[in-house]
Amino acid sequence: REEAARLAVQFGGSSITQVQAYYQAISAGASSVAEATKMLETANMLALGGVTDIATAVDILTTAVNAYAGSGLTAAQASDMLFAGVKVGKTTVDELALGLGNVVPIAGQLGIGLDQVVAATAALTKGGIKTSVAFTNVRAILAGVLKPTDEARKLSEALGLEFSATALKAKGLGGFLQDVMDKTGGNQEAMAALFGSVEALGGVMALTANDGAALTDSLSAVTNSAGATQEAADKVAASLSKRLAVVLSDISERLISVGTSILKVLVPALEAAVVAVDFLADHWNTFMVLIPGSAALMY
């Protein structure tokens, strides 16, 4: 309760919303108040800088951190990458939150980091592809490499192309796709045969266009994004509207604190009064008998 009130005052909003976010963080795997608080501090900054709500910020951060738990990815690192993706692409935190969970599990299996997933998605959206479609494209590409068809295996051998999860992990998504482009000579039928779907082919063609410049630029922005969330949150926090929201939250929390202090005294007093009234009601006749001249009052 104390941490929720502190976060509400620091970032604006209500402590009730922060408490709900605590439950969300704990449900997603946070093992203590301290761990959940650390997650929420980052989520509040992402919500502030990324123009979204705290629930969405907690959702996308826990999705990312849980998917890459083995790599030691922190909420702060994930937040910076996601914010950089929003900045360099044509997407939003809300849109990324809706589709990230469909891609990162398979990306984690292939050793493709969050930075590459976000960079590829941002690069595709920058070219005019909707975020949901971009996620479908990226997932299809990864799925094609994770479980290649017999036709893909035979074709890759004939082309002298190492088409495998090992090669993808070693070269990174950009290097791997460029190798595919070089070995196939950009032949769409060959690439479709390798990846096995129209969705994957569309993603590959878009990401390798202009020698993969869009993906390279996006990846550079995402991998060098440390501090991006904090910087954005600080800018928004300095605005008059946000400062007003913070002041109002401070006043609200102080009033709640005062009200809680009063209730700590008032509620026990009222409970005691109820007990006294109940006792008096239960023993009313007995009291009347003991009072001289009260017999008439009993009837």
Side-chain angles (χ1 to χ4, degrees):
R1 176 67 181 84
E2 290 174 357
E3 287 299 314
R6 179 184 66 79
L7 290 171
V9 171
Q10 181 179 352
F11 295 102
S14 72
S15 56
I16 293 176
T17 300
Q18 297 295 335
V19 168
Q20 292 171 338
Y22 265 108
Y23 276 107
Q24 189 179 358
I26 291 170
S27 297
S31 59
S32 65
V33 172
E35 187 176 342
T37 298
K38 191 172 183 180
M39 169 68 72
L40 257 65
E41 286 177 340
T42 300
N44 272 282
M45 286 191 289
L46 179 59
L48 192 59
V51 195
T52 188
D53 57 79
I54 182 65
T56 299
V58 171
D59 178 45
I60 193 170
L61 290 180
T62 53
T63 295
V65 170
N66 289 342
Y68 291 99
S71 69
L73 179 73
T74 67
Q77 291 170 332
S79 180
D80 287 340
M81 292 177 189
L82 292 164
F83 186 80
V86 170
K87 188 175 180 180
V88 74
K90 291 167 62 178
T91 185
T92 66
V93 174
D94 287 0
E95 290 173 324
L96 291 176
L98 288 174
L100 189 68
N102 294 323
V103 179
V104 288
I106 187 173
Q109 291 183 52
L110 290 167
I112 298 300
L114 180 66
D115 56 342
Q116 297 184 65
V117 172
V118 173
T121 304
L124 290 170
T125 63
K126 191 174 183 178
I129 297 174
K130 292 183 178 180
T131 305
S132 58
V133 177
F135 275 128
T136 300
N137 292 154
V138 174
R139 178 182 170 82
I141 292 171
L142 299 180
V145 178
L146 184 63
K147 294 183 178 181
T149 62
D150 290 337
E151 182 183 8
R153 290 192 185 94
K154 293 177 182 179
L155 179 58
S156 62
E157 290 177 3
L159 294 172
L161 171 67
E162 189 178 357
F163 195 82
S164 66
T166 301
L168 177 59
K169 182 177 182 180
K171 298 175 182 178
L173 183 59
F176 181 83
L177 294 181
Q178 190 58 54
D179 194 23
V180 169
M181 178 63 75
D182 293 341
K183 291 297 196 313
T184 61
N187 184 279
Q188 293 188 21
E189 292 183 357
M191 288 192 289
L194 286 172
F195 289 97
S197 72
V198 175
E199 292 81 7
L201 176 61
V204 172
M205 295 298 294
L207 292 173
T208 55
N210 300 316
D211 294 323
L215 178 56
T216 299
D217 292 343
S218 292
L219 188 58
S220 176
V222 173
T223 54
N224 296 292
S225 61
T229 307
Q230 181 73 63
E231 181 181 356
D234 288 345
K235 288 181 179 179
V236 175
S239 66
L240 287 174
S241 60
K242 194 60 188 178
R243 287 163 60 190
L244 175 60
V246 169
V247 170
L248 292 176
S249 294
D250 191 5
I251 293 172
S252 175
E253 289 304 317
R254 290 176 187 274
L255 291 175
I256 290 173
S257 179
V258 171
T260 301
S261 298
I262 293 173
L263 289 175
K264 285 180 179 179
V265 176
L266 183 59
V267 171
L270 290 174
E271 290 172 341
V274 170
V275 172
V277 171
D278 286 342
F279 181 82
L280 183 61
D282 292 341
H283 299 83
W284 178 255
N285 290 340
T286 302
F287 288 138
M288 289 297 97
V289 170
L290 296 175
I291 300 175
S294 63
L297 297 175
M298 298 171 61
Y299 300 100

